Amino acid sequence: MRTLAPAIVLVLSAGAVAAACEIEYKAKRDTPFELFYNVTTVNAPCPQAEAALRAQLSQRGLTLLKIMSKKEK
């Protein structure tokens, strides 16, 4: 039993690290003005996925307007 407990902890923690969230969203770019609708997978659990998505979009010069849906993958 002693050797089984650490293995269970490793399996459970690996599952938490591998969590991903599929997000359906709308975004915009101001110059030139463009609207975007997309579905993407963010490598973060759904409760933290919005912040991760905002960071990804910001790197592309986009602003998140609305999250339509989230789904754990």
Side-chain angles (χ1 to χ4, degrees):
M1 186 67 176
R2 285 185 183 166
T3 59
L4 186 57
I8 291 172
V9 170
L10 286 175
V11 168
L12 293 176
S13 65
V17 171
C21 186
E22 185 177 271
I23 301 178
E24 177 184 17
Y25 69 91
K26 293 181 182 179
K28 71 172 183 164
R29 176 179 292 134
D30 289 327
T31 308
F33 184 74
E34 295 178 273
L35 294 174
F36 296 86
Y37 165 83
N38 200 1
V39 177
T40 191
T41 300
V42 176
N43 291 322
C46 281
Q48 291 85 33
E50 183 173 340
L53 178 62
R54 282 184 190 279
Q56 287 178 7
L57 293 174
S58 177
Q59 291 175 351
R60 296 177 24 211
L62 300 173
T63 302
L64 179 65
L65 295 174
K66 184 176 185 177
I67 291 182
M68 308 301 287
S69 67
K70 294 182 195 178
K71 180 173 60 173
E72 290 287 339
K73 280 194 91 172

